[in-house]
mmCIF file with all atom_site columns, all heavy atoms in Angstrom:
data_model
loop_
_atom_site.group_PDB
_atom_site.id
_atom_site.type_symbol
_atom_site.label_atom_id
_atom_site.label_alt_id
_atom_site.label_comp_id
_atom_site.label_asym_id
_atom_site.label_entity_id
_atom_site.label_seq_id
_atom_site.pdbx_PDB_ins_code
_atom_site.Cartn_x
_atom_site.Cartn_y
_atom_site.Cartn_z
_atom_site.occupancy
_atom_site.B_iso_or_equiv
_atom_site.pdbx_formal_charge
_atom_site.auth_seq_id
_atom_site.auth_comp_id
_atom_site.auth_asym_id
_atom_site.auth_atom_id
_atom_site.pdbx_PDB_model_num
ATOM 1  N N   . HIS A 1 620 ? 24.820 -1.318 2.195  1.00 97.00 ? 821 HIS A N   1
ATOM 2  C CA  . HIS A 1 620 ? 23.721 -1.386 3.195  1.00 97.00 ? 821 HIS A CA  1
ATOM 3  C C   . HIS A 1 620 ? 23.172 -0.074 3.530  1.00 97.00 ? 821 HIS A C   1
ATOM 4  O O   . HIS A 1 620 ? 21.983 0.127  3.560  1.00 97.00 ? 821 HIS A O   1
ATOM 5  C CB  . HIS A 1 620 ? 24.314 -2.038 4.467  1.00 97.00 ? 821 HIS A CB  1
ATOM 6  C CG  . HIS A 1 620 ? 23.274 -2.182 5.517  1.00 97.00 ? 821 HIS A CG  1
ATOM 7  N ND1 . HIS A 1 620 ? 22.375 -3.223 5.608  1.00 97.00 ? 821 HIS A ND1 1
ATOM 8  C CD2 . HIS A 1 620 ? 22.903 -1.447 6.578  1.00 97.00 ? 821 HIS A CD2 1
ATOM 9  C CE1 . HIS A 1 620 ? 21.614 -3.140 6.631  1.00 97.00 ? 821 HIS A CE1 1
ATOM 10 N NE2 . HIS A 1 620 ? 21.906 -2.036 7.240  1.00 97.00 ? 821 HIS A NE2 1
ATOM 11 N N   . MET A 1 621 ? 24.099 0.968  3.640  1.00 98.00 ? 822 MET A N   1
ATOM 12 C CA  . MET A 1 621 ? 23.607 2.311  3.935  1.00 98.00 ? 822 MET A CA  1
ATOM 13 C C   . MET A 1 621 ? 22.907 2.882  2.740  1.00 98.00 ? 822 MET A C   1
ATOM 14 O O   . MET A 1 621 ? 21.964 3.742  2.834  1.00 98.00 ? 822 MET A O   1
ATOM 15 C CB  . MET A 1 621 ? 24.763 3.227  4.346  1.00 98.00 ? 822 MET A CB  1
ATOM 16 C CG  . MET A 1 621 ? 25.321 2.821  5.728  1.00 98.00 ? 822 MET A CG  1
ATOM 17 S SD  . MET A 1 621 ? 26.620 3.947  6.322  1.00 98.00 ? 822 MET A SD  1
ATOM 18 C CE  . MET A 1 621 ? 28.066 3.472  5.237  1.00 98.00 ? 822 MET A CE  1
ATOM 19 N N   . GLN A 1 622 ? 23.396 2.575  1.539  1.00 98.00 ? 823 GLN A N   1
ATOM 20 C CA  . GLN A 1 622 ? 22.732 3.010  0.316  1.00 98.00 ? 823 GLN A CA  1
ATOM 21 C C   . GLN A 1 622 ? 21.255 2.534  0.252  1.00 98.00 ? 823 GLN A C   1
ATOM 22 O O   . GLN A 1 622 ? 20.397 3.274  -0.371 1.00 98.00 ? 823 GLN A O   1
ATOM 23 C CB  . GLN A 1 622 ? 23.505 2.576  -0.875 1.00 98.00 ? 823 GLN A CB  1
ATOM 24 C CG  . GLN A 1 622 ? 24.828 3.417  -1.109 1.00 98.00 ? 823 GLN A CG  1
ATOM 25 C CD  . GLN A 1 622 ? 24.610 4.852  -1.466 1.00 98.00 ? 823 GLN A CD  1
ATOM 26 O OE1 . GLN A 1 622 ? 23.549 5.255  -1.927 1.00 98.00 ? 823 GLN A OE1 1
ATOM 27 N NE2 . GLN A 1 622 ? 25.549 5.618  -1.191 1.00 98.00 ? 823 GLN A NE2 1
ATOM 28 N N   . LEU A 1 623 ? 20.986 1.352  0.668  1.00 98.00 ? 824 LEU A N   1
ATOM 29 C CA  . LEU A 1 623 ? 19.613 0.928  0.594  1.00 98.00 ? 824 LEU A CA  1
ATOM 30 C C   . LEU A 1 623 ? 18.672 1.791  1.419  1.00 98.00 ? 824 LEU A C   1
ATOM 31 O O   . LEU A 1 623 ? 17.587 2.123  1.039  1.00 98.00 ? 824 LEU A O   1
ATOM 32 C CB  . LEU A 1 623 ? 19.550 -0.570 1.159  1.00 98.00 ? 824 LEU A CB  1
ATOM 33 C CG  . LEU A 1 623 ? 20.096 -1.679 0.211  1.00 98.00 ? 824 LEU A CG  1
ATOM 34 C CD1 . LEU A 1 623 ? 20.290 -2.916 0.908  1.00 98.00 ? 824 LEU A CD1 1
ATOM 35 C CD2 . LEU A 1 623 ? 19.177 -1.796 -1.006 1.00 98.00 ? 824 LEU A CD2 1
ATOM 36 N N   . ASP A 1 624 ? 19.185 2.189  2.551  1.00 97.00 ? 825 ASP A N   1
ATOM 37 C CA  . ASP A 1 624 ? 18.439 3.176  3.295  1.00 97.00 ? 825 ASP A CA  1
ATOM 38 C C   . ASP A 1 624 ? 18.242 4.465  2.634  1.00 97.00 ? 825 ASP A C   1
ATOM 39 O O   . ASP A 1 624 ? 17.135 5.130  2.588  1.00 97.00 ? 825 ASP A O   1
ATOM 40 C CB  . ASP A 1 624 ? 19.078 3.484  4.723  1.00 97.00 ? 825 ASP A CB  1
ATOM 41 C CG  . ASP A 1 624 ? 18.769 2.327  5.666  1.00 97.00 ? 825 ASP A CG  1
ATOM 42 O OD1 . ASP A 1 624 ? 17.698 1.719  5.614  1.00 97.00 ? 825 ASP A OD1 1
ATOM 43 O OD2 . ASP A 1 624 ? 19.651 2.073  6.623  1.00 97.00 ? 825 ASP A OD2 1
ATOM 44 N N   . SER A 1 625 ? 19.353 4.912  1.952  1.00 98.00 ? 826 SER A N   1
ATOM 45 C CA  . SER A 1 625 ? 19.382 6.266  1.376  1.00 98.00 ? 826 SER A CA  1
ATOM 46 C C   . SER A 1 625 ? 18.413 6.334  0.147  1.00 98.00 ? 826 SER A C   1
ATOM 47 O O   . SER A 1 625 ? 17.612 7.266  0.045  1.00 98.00 ? 826 SER A O   1
ATOM 48 C CB  . SER A 1 625 ? 20.775 6.598  0.861  1.00 98.00 ? 826 SER A CB  1
ATOM 49 O OG  . SER A 1 625 ? 20.814 7.792  0.181  1.00 98.00 ? 826 SER A OG  1
ATOM 50 N N   . ILE A 1 626 ? 18.488 5.367  -0.727 1.00 98.00 ? 827 ILE A N   1
ATOM 51 C CA  . ILE A 1 626 ? 17.674 5.424  -1.885 1.00 98.00 ? 827 ILE A CA  1
ATOM 52 C C   . ILE A 1 626 ? 16.136 5.262  -1.557 1.00 98.00 ? 827 ILE A C   1
ATOM 53 O O   . ILE A 1 626 ? 15.252 5.831  -2.224 1.00 98.00 ? 827 ILE A O   1
ATOM 54 C CB  . ILE A 1 626 ? 18.063 4.320  -2.996 1.00 98.00 ? 827 ILE A CB  1
ATOM 55 C CG1 . ILE A 1 626 ? 17.933 2.914  -2.479 1.00 98.00 ? 827 ILE A CG1 1
ATOM 56 C CG2 . ILE A 1 626 ? 19.470 4.606  -3.456 1.00 98.00 ? 827 ILE A CG2 1
ATOM 57 C CD1 . ILE A 1 626 ? 18.057 1.794  -3.529 1.00 98.00 ? 827 ILE A CD1 1
ATOM 58 N N   . THR A 1 627 ? 15.841 4.483  -0.488 1.00 98.00 ? 828 THR A N   1
ATOM 59 C CA  . THR A 1 627 ? 14.479 4.294  -0.108 1.00 98.00 ? 828 THR A CA  1
ATOM 60 C C   . THR A 1 627 ? 13.886 5.524  0.599  1.00 98.00 ? 828 THR A C   1
ATOM 61 O O   . THR A 1 627 ? 12.772 5.883  0.368  1.00 98.00 ? 828 THR A O   1
ATOM 62 C CB  . THR A 1 627 ? 14.326 3.010  0.796  1.00 98.00 ? 828 THR A CB  1
ATOM 63 O OG1 . THR A 1 627 ? 14.850 1.892  0.186  1.00 98.00 ? 828 THR A OG1 1
ATOM 64 C CG2 . THR A 1 627 ? 12.898 2.779  1.195  1.00 98.00 ? 828 THR A CG2 1
ATOM 65 N N   . HIS A 1 628 ? 14.762 6.189  1.347  1.00 98.00 ? 829 HIS A N   1
ATOM 66 C CA  . HIS A 1 628 ? 14.284 7.457  1.915  1.00 98.00 ? 829 HIS A CA  1
ATOM 67 C C   . HIS A 1 628 ? 13.995 8.433  0.826  1.00 98.00 ? 829 HIS A C   1
ATOM 68 O O   . HIS A 1 628 ? 13.054 9.243  0.880  1.00 98.00 ? 829 HIS A O   1
ATOM 69 C CB  . HIS A 1 628 ? 15.456 7.972  2.829  1.00 98.00 ? 829 HIS A CB  1
ATOM 70 C CG  . HIS A 1 628 ? 15.186 9.405  3.276  1.00 98.00 ? 829 HIS A CG  1
ATOM 71 N ND1 . HIS A 1 628 ? 14.195 9.673  4.320  1.00 98.00 ? 829 HIS A ND1 1
ATOM 72 C CD2 . HIS A 1 628 ? 15.699 10.602 2.923  1.00 98.00 ? 829 HIS A CD2 1
ATOM 73 C CE1 . HIS A 1 628 ? 14.220 11.060 4.528  1.00 98.00 ? 829 HIS A CE1 1
ATOM 74 N NE2 . HIS A 1 628 ? 15.062 11.637 3.695  1.00 98.00 ? 829 HIS A NE2 1
ATOM 75 N N   . PHE A 1 629 ? 14.886 8.509  -0.265 1.00 98.00 ? 830 PHE A N   1
ATOM 76 C CA  . PHE A 1 629 ? 14.648 9.460  -1.335 1.00 98.00 ? 830 PHE A CA  1
ATOM 77 C C   . PHE A 1 629 ? 13.273 9.107  -1.969 1.00 98.00 ? 830 PHE A C   1
ATOM 78 O O   . PHE A 1 629 ? 12.532 10.028 -2.293 1.00 98.00 ? 830 PHE A O   1
ATOM 79 C CB  . PHE A 1 629 ? 15.860 9.350  -2.327 1.00 98.00 ? 830 PHE A CB  1
ATOM 80 C CG  . PHE A 1 629 ? 15.660 10.377 -3.442 1.00 98.00 ? 830 PHE A CG  1
ATOM 81 C CD1 . PHE A 1 629 ? 16.102 11.678 -3.248 1.00 98.00 ? 830 PHE A CD1 1
ATOM 82 C CD2 . PHE A 1 629 ? 15.167 10.018 -4.642 1.00 98.00 ? 830 PHE A CD2 1
ATOM 83 C CE1 . PHE A 1 629 ? 15.968 12.617 -4.272 1.00 98.00 ? 830 PHE A CE1 1
ATOM 84 C CE2 . PHE A 1 629 ? 15.036 10.901 -5.740 1.00 98.00 ? 830 PHE A CE2 1
ATOM 85 C CZ  . PHE A 1 629 ? 15.434 12.232 -5.470 1.00 98.00 ? 830 PHE A CZ  1
#
Side-chain angles (χ1 to χ4, degrees):
H821 181 84
M822 291 185 287
Q823 286 293 340
L824 287 168
D825 280 331
S826 177
I827 63 171
T828 304
H829 172 75
F830 184 82

